[in-house]
Amino acid sequence: MTRTMRAAIFDLDGVIVDTAKYHYLAWKRLANQLGFDFSEADNERLKGVSRVRSLEILLEIGGLKVDAADREVMASRKNEWYVQYISNMTPAELLPGAVDYIAFLKTKGVKIALASASKNAPLILDRLKIGYLFDVVIDGTKASKAKPDPEVFIRAAADLGIPNEDCVVFEDAEAGIEAAIRAGMRSVGVGKPGNLTAADIVITGFAPLLTLSLIPA
Ligand code: BG6
Ligand code: MG
């Protein structure tokens, strides 16, 4: 039996707003400073992953061993650059159709949550003035376990009061799709066809969902 979507749980970076490119630029800048290159393909492994774990993966790619104190300095440096990049962000960097699709779901009575690994999520929501869209926000300041652990999604569903199996997750990261599956939720991958193969469906953006009326019952 097909279950209705009673709640939609959205990742932030790379799903609602085009911040994924700024995370990539800041990590690449750090890699270059450390003497190695960092490709967009490498970057796929960092999407959805916490800052601390992202740095570990980056250092693995560069073949560097770094002690904990230096890792902390590097993570802060990357975050300073990232915050500089996003501090001038405007609503033009909202991904096409995302806000309209969420607004549309709300008119159908679907509950809306944000579930992001980012500690910068409050800043981004504030800058783009989109906090009002969400019934529940679980971000990197509230969750202790990073995707692919399902914690953020399970907490979002619990706070909304909706069973996991009635939630649909929208994600641009492999780690996020895995987390959704582990949470027992359906998932929509937002990205290039061929990526995110574990998702139930993959869309390149939200505009087609509106124009094709792919809507909850
Ligand atoms: C996720 C991003 O949303 O947040 C990751 O996809 C990022 O790339 C993670 O590392 C943590 O973000 P922040 O802003 O707390 O460093
Ligand atoms: Mg993301």
Side-chain angles (χ1 to χ4, degrees):
M1 188 188 82
T2 314
R3 295 193 68 123
T4 315
M5 167 171 31
R6 293 179 59 204
I9 306 182
F10 290 84
D11 175 48
L12 177 66
D13 295 314
V15 171
I16 293 175
V17 61
D18 195 10
T19 41
K21 66 181 182 213
Y22 296 129
H23 278 296
Y24 172 59
L25 284 177
W27 285 125
K28 187 175 165 65
R29 189 165 162 185
L30 181 66
N32 292 167
Q33 202 175 64
L34 295 172
F36 61 95
D37 204 13
F38 177 63
S39 68
E40 285 198 51
D42 293 330
N43 188 54
E44 287 300 309
R45 290 178 60 196
L46 271 51
K47 284 188 180 171
V49 176
S50 72
R51 197 182 308 166
V52 169
R53 181 65 195 131
S54 294
L55 177 61
E56 286 170 4
I57 297 171
L58 186 95
L59 293 172
E60 239 171 71
I61 291 168
L64 296 181
K65 286 218 175 343
V66 175
D67 65 31
D70 285 345
R71 283 206 303 271
E72 210 173 308
V73 172
M74 288 174 187
S76 303
R77 195 182 307 157
K78 180 267 171 179
N79 193 54
E80 277 166 29
W81 290 330
Y82 176 69
V83 169
Q84 273 171 22
Y85 295 146
I86 62 171
S87 59
N88 294 322
M89 238 172 22
T90 68
E93 281 164 277
L94 287 164
L95 287 161
V99 170
D100 289 344
Y101 183 59
I102 293 172
F104 170 77
L105 291 178
K106 288 170 86 74
T107 68
K108 296 286 169 188
V110 176
K111 296 274 180 215
I112 308 293
L114 186 85
S116 166
S118 175
K119 293 186 162 67
N120 292 301
L123 170 70
I124 295 168
L125 295 181
D126 183 58
R127 197 142 311 247
L128 297 177
K129 308 257 177 293
I130 54 169
Y132 72 94
L133 289 170
F134 303 98
D135 299 301
V136 160
V137 173
I138 307 290
D139 62 32
T141 65
K142 292 187 188 154
S144 55
K145 297 189 203 127
K147 299 170 192 174
D149 189 284
E151 182 192 11
V152 281
F153 296 140
I154 290 172
R155 285 191 53 185
D159 285 6
L160 289 172
I162 304 286
N164 292 1
E165 55 273 29
D166 292 332
C167 298
V168 176
V169 167
F170 294 80
E171 258 292 349
D172 71 320
E174 280 177 21
I177 299 293
E178 191 183 329
I181 292 168
R182 286 206 218 165
M185 298 176 182
R186 284 160 290 163
S187 60
V188 177
V190 183
K192 292 187 187 138
N195 288 355
L196 306 171
T197 48
D200 291 302
I201 57 165
V202 177
I203 57 171
T204 53
F206 290 97
L209 294 187
L210 285 161
T211 53
L212 293 176
S213 298
L214 293 177
I215 59 176

